[in-house]
Amino acid sequence: MINYIYLTVLFPLAGFLINGIFGSKIKNEKIIGIIGSGSIGLAFVVTLSAFFETLGLPEENRSNVVELFTWLSVGGLDIKFAYLVDQLSLTMSLIVTGVGFLIHVYSIGYMHGDKSFWRFFAYLNLFIFAMMNLVLGDNFVVLFLGWEGVGLCSYLLIGFWYDRKFEKGTTAEAAKKAFVVNRIGDFGFLLGMFLIYYTFGSLNFKEVFTKAASFPISEATFGLIAIFLFIGAAGKSAQIPLFVWLPDAMAGPTPVSALIHAATMVTAGVYMVSRAAIIFASAPTVMMVVAIIGLLTAVMAASIGLVQNDIKKVLAYSTVSQLGYMFLAAGVGAFSASIFHVMTHAFFKALLFLGAGSVIHGMHEEQNIQKYGGLKKYMPKTYATFFVATLAIAGVPGLSGFFSKDEILWNAYANGGFILWLVGVVTAMMTAFYMFRLLSLTFYGEERFDHHHVHPHESPAVMTTPLIILAVLSLIGGYIGMPKIFVGENGNLFEHWLEPVYAPALEKLALYGSHSHFEEILLMVVSVVLALSAIYFALQVYTKKPQIAENTSKKFKGLYNLLLNKYFVDEVYEAAVVQPIQKGSEKVLWKFADSFVIDGIVNGAAKVVDVGSAFIRKIQNGIAQFYAVVMMLGIALVLLWVILSL
Amino acid sequence: MEQNLLLTYLLFAPIVGSVLVLFFNKEQVKLVRWFGLIVSLIAFVISLIIYFMFDQANPQFQFVNKFLWISSINVSYHIGVDGISLLLVLLTTFLTPLTLLSTWKAIEKNVKMFTFSMLFLEAGMIGVFISLDIFLFYIFWEAMLIPMCFIIGIWGGERRIYASIKFFIYTMVGSLLMLVAIIWLAVYASNMTGSFTTNLLDLYKVGASIPNQIQGWMFGAFFLSFAIKIPLFPLHTWLPDAHVEAPTAGSVILAGVLLKMGTYGIVRYCLPLFPQSAVEFAPVISVLAVIGIIYGALVSMVQTDMKKLVAYSSVSHLGFVVLGTFAMTVESVQGAVIQMVNHGLSTGALFLLVGVVYERTHRRDIAYYGGIAKIVPFYSFALLFASLSSVGLPGLNGFVGEFLILLGSFKSQVLNNWWFTIFAATGVIFAAVYLLWMYQRVAFGVVKNHELADHLSDLNTREMIVLAPIFVLIVWIGIYPSTFLKLTEASTQLILQQVSTYTVNLLK
């Protein structure tokens, strides 16, 4: 099926076209839902069979290119529309189509009754189409096509309910903000591509990476390329300083948050860094920058997550934080660990969002967790699956999140040092805390909602079934990536599978000094104990002694407000960037420079001609005597001049 | 030698058509409209035939016709096309029938005169693109002004007279300098070769030998004329006025084709005629182009009038074309040429769409609208599609042009500075801001004015027929630009070759 990999792109495209063009005529939700989900299901089947086919090939033949047609060919530039089927792209494809399929099915239930049901599925399919181009592209430009395509779908889906209010503005504003902030990242990505083409004379992955591994190119050049690419990644994957769009992206329907803003699109930046591993590996300084930015983002977002009251906001900041972890991993050279976390995160975070959607659905669109409480008995399936996901993200041993997070932390320690590890563990503690705060406030304790207006109920099977499948994946998904100290050198199946992709990069980095097994186990135990104590603490506070939380927030009012208001980053950007540009453009560029100066000069020149000719016209007054006088004067002057010059 | 007269037929089809229109009865509005449409379609078909017979591997001019015209000054009727001019001719013949069709409801006043002007204008535009005699070129260049001024001045908005005169004078100032330069060139040629000539191909041979300082003046005279037409910052202020006052059809043709004559002029005249000066001035001009990209985008962002917003966006987009041209790499010039077409399609579509709502409500202020996605879904989709094409979303046409221009200018030896590209690339961010912000305010949100629900009807069949071919091309160029890039590649290479000796010299 490797040669038919383009079907994984064409099925979603077909779904988009059918639902997009005929959706409004079909009207029947069932048919639209089946077309929408079915196309993704088929794409998943194709991906799966391509995966098994690749698995059957000897390791050195597992990277295959499927060429479709020439896209851009000018001078030395030759961009093919081609797909690269290798270990990395297959892993990403499986996540995208697999989790994507489950979320599509869930959406049939969630979006039931929406008047634009068809439009929703059309957009969702278009998203998968773009996302598959992103992960399968054989060169930077096809990747960029997908990159922008998912950005567009994100825009369309954040603004899906375009007539609704969202916080202080509208969903449409949130959508535009997402697109524009992403474009700032794209600006970096574009420059990165130009520099790559300038340096290597190509934008094709294989060619660029082969040259990068062997050509004598200065570290400064590599560093510049890597920084540019990372700006792009930071935009798409919501890292400091470009993370501000992701929390606002929650204006979209919840399945969108699960699919695009948690499981797939936002991990595109991680994928891109991991794809260009050799370039990053050749620029150690930038690697450090990536790791630090990732870590700072992780701890910053987690701290904001501690105090948020909107169920989706908590999860959004959690996503930003977890993405930070992924960059931390990539920054310390643990590329396969970063992709491993992409995968486990896709399972448990999609599950958390879908669970949140189920709760919101059952609570009549209420999203404030202070107005939930005790929902466990009303929504047993949602609760059970949400509980599993919470355990997974909190890093409870045995669940998927534990394995991926542990691998990242260990690599941070081994390749980055104690400080990176420490901040990582503190973040993990915060994660455990805010997740159990969320769990407790939602499902445990007293019921704080108004029983007259709100009647909590479990969601239908079409929604709960995907939850259960994702819960199973969150439970067992980590066992393919067990730590080597437990399973031996080749026992980490996930890392072993991806190894060939990163081999050149890892060779260049020459990581892994000698660390004892004792150290690794000790650190693991410490982080687990800390996470478990954070869980215990959160449960105590939010189920038994809520006054502690209240008192603490009063005691540290300044800090609490700072976190509640997300460090005022949005306000600072608005005042320092948005307003100056907007006001400057209006007042200085348009009203002053354009209308006053430039047009003033133009109209002024016309005026001068006008006035000047009005004056000259007076000479032509048609009176013969006047002409005669002037003529005489002229002759006199000439004579005078002749005489004087004699 | 037997001459293939197809190109002459193409040029004369709209001329003959426009003359025939004058014989119609003023009352036969419907007949006049159909006649104009059919004539423009015939021109389109002829240009397609030329396209299919055109040898893309051959960089030389093809379908050349040459007859001595004014023997005393050795001026010939001399026409021909290479890949670049053919592409722009196709753009012209493609947009004209669509534009005519788009006016079937909007233009009620003096349809006969309007159709005459449009066909006459088409002939003028084709003439500019296919002239191989610089004197002939000048005649077409000036002749086109007249119908355009009529279109703005008769069928335009409230300040139409101001706008049309401003347009006329602005352009004339440039043209007169160009005329002086043309005469000087012909005289210079007669000194060099012994015969007074306005034949472009002969002038190509002598142009480069003009002493450097004088060459700079000649280059400047031509360039100023083209820069006004493009318009290049800071010579752009006629454009917003002309666009806002012009009827929709005028705006579409203005943005779609007329502005391209400036950029085409640079490619056809400035670069090969005065290669040394072109290389020398490239950095300065590129600075203006980059300023234009950012400035146009920022000013566009804060406009309150939809049409003015699109007009200023043209300044930004054409800045890309100028940058690409003067970067003088294959990638960037190819990008610039395809971007001329792209801008014609995207901006043409945007003007058409602004025209559609204006026809129904007579309002163009963004604040008046809001939430129309609910009332007119098809229209809103079309507006989004055209906006995205203009934003440069990969997969649509705009991306191909911008990407090639930026990629090429980055590695340009003539510019030899990354900052051009870095600043120009910020245009990518701003384009998203101004267009999506407009879209958000117009289409999204709650329906602000409830009278909109009564007045605003969705796209009708005729409007869809007008937009559909443009949209098809937008996707075509986005996905499979080879069709168009191949057409121009050989000619682009040839032009760069003409410049290249001086590029290399200057670098040493």
Side-chain angles (χ1 to χ4, degrees):
Chain A
M1 278 319 256
I2 293 173
N3 291 325
Y4 295 96
I5 198 74
Y6 54 82
L7 289 177
T8 62
V9 178
L10 287 185
F11 281 131
L13 181 65
F16 160 68
L17 290 175
I18 295 171
N19 274 338
I21 297 169
F22 306 110
S24 57
K25 308 263 170 2
I26 297 175
K27 285 198 176 77
N28 186 325
E29 283 187 6
K30 218 173 231 163
I31 297 173
I32 293 169
I34 287 172
I35 294 169
S37 319
S39 66
I40 310 303
L42 287 171
F44 177 67
V45 171
V46 175
T47 315
L48 205 60
S49 63
F51 168 71
F52 282 117
E53 194 183 332
T54 306
L55 209 55
L57 296 171
E59 213 164 79
E60 60 274 16
N61 295 342
R62 282 183 183 169
S63 173
N64 296 290
V65 173
V66 181
E67 232 177 78
L68 299 181
F69 57 89
T70 297
W71 185 17
L72 278 167
S73 165
V74 175
L77 181 75
D78 186 26
I79 307 289
K80 297 260 184 340
F81 221 106
Y83 295 133
L84 172 64
V85 186
D86 73 347
Q87 295 90 332
L88 180 56
S89 67
L90 280 170
T91 308
M92 291 300 291
S93 303
L94 283 173
I95 298 170
V96 172
T97 53
V99 176
F101 173 67
L102 294 175
I103 295 173
H104 273 73
V105 172
Y106 174 96
S107 303
I108 299 177
Y110 191 85
M111 297 303 288
H112 170 67
D114 194 286
K115 59 192 182 325
S116 296
F117 190 86
W118 62 276
R119 194 161 55 91
F120 185 79
F121 275 89
Y123 289 169
L124 227 48
N125 281 4
L126 183 65
F127 168 76
I128 299 282
F129 163 76
M131 192 69 203
M132 290 306 283
N133 273 304
L134 194 161
V135 298
L136 283 171
D138 164 56
N139 54 60
F140 281 102
V141 192
V142 176
L143 192 164
F144 190 70
L145 170 100
W147 187 272
E148 293 281 283
V150 292
L152 168 69
C153 297
S154 167
Y155 169 81
L156 292 171
L157 283 161
I158 294 170
F160 182 76
W161 289 315
Y162 51 77
D163 50 353
R164 291 196 190 177
K165 290 259 172 273
F166 175 72
E167 297 187 343
K168 283 171 217 150
T170 59
T171 58
E173 271 163 38
K176 189 202 69 185
K177 180 175 174 185
F179 197 87
V180 170
V181 175
N182 265 293
R183 273 258 154 164
I184 297 173
D186 299 346
F187 163 76
F189 192 172
L190 275 174
L191 292 178
M193 281 199 274
F194 302 150
L195 193 52
I196 288 171
Y197 183 63
Y198 180 82
T199 313
F200 301 104
S202 171
L203 283 165
N204 178 281
F205 287 152
K206 221 166 230 168
E207 215 178 320
V208 171
F209 298 150
T210 315
K211 284 180 182 170
S214 55
F215 272 33
I217 290 161
S218 74
E219 202 191 306
T221 307
F222 274 123
L224 209 51
I225 295 177
I227 275 287
F228 282 144
L229 292 183
F230 182 62
I231 293 173
K236 190 110 304 184
S237 294
Q239 296 297 291
I240 292 172
L242 300 176
F243 67 95
V244 287
W245 64 272
L246 186 56
D248 284 18
M250 298 301 120
T254 307
V256 172
S257 312
L259 177 62
I260 301 182
H261 305 117
T264 56
M265 183 187 84
V266 288
T267 63
V270 182
Y271 164 76
M272 189 250 268
V273 170
S274 160
R275 176 57 84 193
I278 179 72
I279 290 176
F280 282 84
S282 310
T285 327
V286 179
M287 288 282 277
M288 207 60 215
V289 171
V290 172
I292 289 170
I293 293 271
L295 194 58
L296 285 178
T297 309
V299 68
M300 178 240 14
S303 67
I304 295 174
L306 292 173
V307 300
Q308 298 302 312
N309 285 324
D310 181 318
I311 187 168
K312 287 181 72 180
K313 269 279 153 73
V314 176
L315 294 177
Y317 280 103
S318 163
T319 305
V320 175
S321 173
Q322 297 297 311
L323 290 165
Y325 265 119
M326 297 170 201
F327 281 105
L328 169 65
V332 296
F335 298 107
S336 109
S338 77
I339 297 296
F340 188 35
H341 200 56
V342 165
M343 185 189 84
T344 60
H345 179 256
F347 297 154
F348 60 69
K349 190 53 69 63
L351 174 52
L352 286 171
F353 267 115
L354 295 186
S358 180
V359 171
I360 295 166
H361 191 76
M363 295 295 286
H364 307 273
E365 306 299 316
E366 180 57 62
Q367 290 187 197
N368 187 342
I369 48 177
Q370 301 294 352
K371 293 181 182 164
Y372 291 166
L375 296 181
K376 185 179 165 184
K377 66 172 182 221
Y378 299 104
M379 307 176 188
K381 282 180 192 156
T382 303
Y383 163 68
T385 53
F386 201 92
F387 181 67
V388 170
T390 308
L391 291 179
I393 190 177
V396 172
L399 283 86
S400 61
F402 165 74
F403 293 108
S404 54
K405 201 178 280 183
D406 178 67
E407 207 183 332
I408 292 173
L409 288 173
W410 168 242
N411 276 288
Y413 175 78
N415 307 325
F418 178 72
I419 301 287
L420 293 190
W421 176 83
L422 184 69
V423 181
V425 169
V426 170
T427 308
M429 278 178 71
M430 290 191 207
T431 310
F433 183 86
Y434 69 66
M435 280 315 301
F436 271 85
R437 169 179 176 263
L438 178 65
L439 186 78
S440 310
L441 287 175
T442 306
F443 293 103
Y444 306 146
E446 54 175 321
E447 300 170 6
R448 294 180 301 278
F449 48 88
D450 183 352
H451 283 275
H452 297 292
H453 297 294
V454 180
H455 311 281
H457 58 84
E458 183 59 284
S459 297
V462 70
M463 286 165 73
T464 51
T465 312
L467 293 182
I468 293 165
I469 297 173
L470 284 168
V472 172
L473 289 170
S474 302
L475 260 178
I476 61 166
Y479 287 96
I480 56 169
M482 303 243 289
K484 284 181 191 162
I485 44 165
F486 296 149
V487 289
E489 209 35 54
N490 288 335
N492 186 332
L493 299 175
F494 193 84
E495 192 181 327
H496 188 64
W497 154 251
L498 284 179
E499 212 163 29
V501 180
Y502 304 124
L506 294 178
E507 205 172 297
K508 221 165 186 173
L509 280 173
L511 293 169
Y512 303 110
S514 57
H515 290 282
S516 64
H517 284 184
F518 171 72
E519 246 177 307
E520 189 171 349
I521 291 175
L522 179 72
L523 293 177
M524 190 188 290
V525 170
V526 171
S527 71
V528 166
V529 168
L530 289 174
L532 288 178
S533 50
I535 292 172
Y536 174 77
F537 187 58
L539 282 175
Q540 283 296 314
V541 171
Y542 290 101
T543 53
K544 305 218 172 80
K545 296 162 189 147
Q547 67 276 12
I548 295 183
E550 222 165 281
N551 293 340
T552 321
S553 67
K554 274 184 189 137
K555 207 164 157 192
F556 301 99
K557 208 163 172 49
L559 181 68
Y560 177 76
N561 272 330
L562 188 68
L563 294 180
L564 193 66
N565 289 298
K566 307 134 193 169
Y567 297 104
F568 295 98
V569 177
D570 271 326
E571 286 77 6
V572 171
Y573 282 4
E574 177 76 19
V577 182
V578 179
Q579 285 302 324
I581 291 183
Q582 212 160 307
K583 286 279 175 305
S585 301
E586 191 188 335
K587 301 254 152 68
V588 181
L589 292 185
W590 181 30
K591 298 267 163 73
F592 179 73
D594 217 58
S595 302
F596 185 73
V597 179
I598 302 176
D599 233 15
I601 292 171
V602 171
N603 288 333
K607 199 88 193 164
V608 167
V609 174
D610 194 30
V611 172
S613 49
F615 174 73
I616 294 170
R617 198 173 54 215
K618 284 188 182 133
I619 300 170
Q620 304 282 327
N621 58 6
I623 303 167
Q625 290 93 325
F626 177 74
Y627 292 160
V629 171
V630 172
M631 199 169 84
M632 290 302 290
L633 270 174
I635 291 169
L637 278 172
V638 170
L639 276 173
L640 196 69
W641 181 66
V642 171
I643 293 162
L644 285 178
S645 59
L646 273 174
Chain B
M1 199 183 80
E2 189 73 15
Q3 298 194 8
N4 183 336
L5 292 176
L6 262 181
L7 207 53
T8 296
Y9 297 151
L10 174 64
L11 178 61
F12 279 88
I15 294 179
V16 171
S18 67
V19 173
L20 287 179
V21 165
L22 298 176
F23 291 100
F24 280 92
N25 189 329
K26 223 176 161 171
E27 310 304 313
Q28 294 168 305
V29 172
K30 208 170 168 188
L31 203 63
V32 171
R33 281 177 175 156
W34 273 104
F35 181 76
L37 182 67
I38 288 167
V39 169
S40 63
L41 281 174
I42 290 172
F44 181 54
V45 170
I46 299 175
S47 63
L48 275 184
I49 296 172
I50 294 175
Y51 168 76
F52 285 114
M53 290 171 67
F54 186 83
D55 176 11
Q56 304 196 347
N58 180 359
Q60 301 298 334
F61 289 97
Q62 299 174 40
F63 296 92
V64 174
N65 292 171
K66 190 177 178 187
F67 304 100
L68 192 62
W69 180 25
I70 310 172
S71 58
S72 56
I73 52 168
N74 197 19
V75 169
S76 300
Y77 167 81
H78 185 187
I79 56 170
V81 283
D82 69 348
I84 297 172
S85 41
L86 179 55
L87 186 65
L88 291 169
V89 166
L90 284 165
L91 177 69
T92 312
T93 56
F94 170 79
L95 279 180
T96 306
L98 296 178
T99 313
L100 277 170
L101 189 59
S102 80
T103 63
W104 279 19
K105 198 164 151 277
I107 304 284
E108 296 281 350
K109 184 169 82 177
N110 210 342
V111 174
K112 183 173 141 181
M113 201 49 206
F114 180 79
T115 311
F116 167 81
S117 301
M118 284 293 288
L119 290 175
F120 193 77
L121 185 62
E122 183 181 19
M125 296 186 292
I126 294 173
V128 164
F129 292 132
I130 64 175
S131 294
L132 292 182
D133 186 290
I134 202 160
F135 189 79
L136 188 67
F137 165 78
Y138 186 77
I139 290 174
F140 283 122
W141 179 269
E142 293 293 290
M144 239 176 35
L145 268 183
I146 303 159
M148 195 64 223
C149 271
F150 279 161
I151 289 173
I152 298 175
I154 298 178
W155 294 274
E158 261 168 48
R159 296 172 68 222
R160 56 180 182 266
I161 303 296
Y162 169 75
S164 66
I165 290 178
K166 194 172 181 181
F167 165 71
F168 191 84
I169 292 178
Y170 238 118
T171 330
M172 271 308 273
V173 170
S175 310
L176 287 175
L177 286 173
M178 182 163 73
L179 181 62
V180 175
I182 288 173
I183 295 168
W184 190 93
L185 254 182
V187 173
Y188 179 80
S190 79
N191 290 342
M192 295 297 286
T193 62
S195 67
F196 188 94
T197 182
T198 50
N199 183 335
L200 184 62
L201 303 180
D202 292 338
L203 292 174
Y204 276 168
K205 289 173 200 146
V206 301
S209 70
I210 302 172
N212 206 5
Q213 201 180 353
I214 303 175
Q215 197 180 119
W217 285 104
M218 292 298 108
F219 172 86
F222 272 85
F223 181 75
L224 187 70
S225 174
F226 298 142
I228 287 171
K229 189 78 85 186
I230 289 171
L232 186 69
F233 173 89
L235 304 168
H236 62 275
T237 54
W238 64 269
L239 185 78
D241 285 317
H243 269 311
V244 167
E245 298 309 321
T248 301
S251 290
V252 174
I253 288 293
L254 194 59
V257 187
L258 246 74
L259 306 186
K260 308 306 155 355
M261 300 197 321
T263 48
Y264 171 79
I266 291 174
V267 174
R268 175 68 66 235
Y269 295 91
C270 283
L271 256 50
L273 273 178
F274 317 109
Q276 256 169 299
S277 302
V279 173
E280 200 176 320
F281 289 118
V284 183
I285 292 166
S286 298
V287 168
L288 290 179
V290 172
I291 292 176
I293 292 172
I294 298 170
Y295 180 92
L298 288 177
V299 175
S300 171
M301 184 174 75
V302 292
Q303 294 306 312
T304 51
D305 180 312
M306 286 163 84
K307 218 171 170 187
K308 228 170 180 171
L309 187 148
V310 181
Y312 273 109
S313 84
S314 289
V315 177
S316 184
H317 279 113
L318 270 298
F320 276 105
V321 178
V322 175
L323 175 68
T325 310
F326 280 95
M328 298 188 202
T329 59
V330 192
E331 291 91 344
S332 71
V333 177
Q334 281 281 71
V337 174
I338 197 88
Q339 189 67 0
M340 294 183 206
V341 177
N342 290 339
H343 176 260
L345 298 173
S346 319
T347 310
L350 282 173
F351 276 125
L352 283 170
L353 286 164
V354 174
V356 165
V357 282
Y358 183 73
E359 259 174 52
R360 291 158 170 65
T361 61
H362 295 282
R363 296 289 290 265
R364 283 191 315 253
D365 40 331
I366 296 171
Y368 175 75
Y369 295 94
I372 67 168
K374 197 159 273 173
I375 310 172
V376 285
F378 283 109
Y379 175 83
S380 302
F381 166 77
L383 186 63
L384 181 66
F385 191 84
S387 301
L388 291 171
S389 140
S390 188
V391 165
L393 188 82
L396 303 180
N397 61 346
F399 172 72
V400 174
E402 283 180 13
F403 185 74
L404 289 176
I405 290 167
L406 292 172
L407 190 75
S409 63
F410 194 82
K411 62 167 235 184
S412 163
Q413 292 186 305
V414 175
L415 300 181
N416 197 25
N417 193 332
W418 290 350
W419 287 107
F420 287 107
T421 311
I422 294 174
F423 278 113
T426 58
V428 170
I429 304 172
F430 296 128
V433 179
Y434 64 75
L435 280 166
L436 291 184
W437 193 28
M438 173 192 79
Y439 187 75
Q440 172 204 326
R441 286 177 292 166
V442 170
F444 288 160
V446 284
V447 181
K448 245 199 235 153
N449 282 297
H450 288 283
E451 60 188 81
L452 272 176
D454 310 325
H455 291 301
L456 210 56
S457 51
D458 215 335
L459 295 175
N460 60 35
T461 318
R462 178 177 55 82
E463 286 156 346
M464 286 194 195
I465 292 172
V466 171
L467 287 167
I470 299 179
F471 284 5
V472 168
L473 270 181
I474 283 175
V475 175
W476 186 346
I477 298 177
I479 302 287
Y480 197 72
S482 303
T483 320
F484 308 91
L485 292 171
K486 276 221 183 73
L487 179 61
T488 58
E489 178 141 22
S491 313
T492 304
Q493 297 273 20
L494 182 70
I495 287 167
L496 285 175
Q497 220 171 39
Q498 287 168 306
V499 189
S500 69
T501 43
Y502 301 93
T503 326
V504 178
N505 279 344
L506 217 91
L507 289 172
K508 283 175 189 163

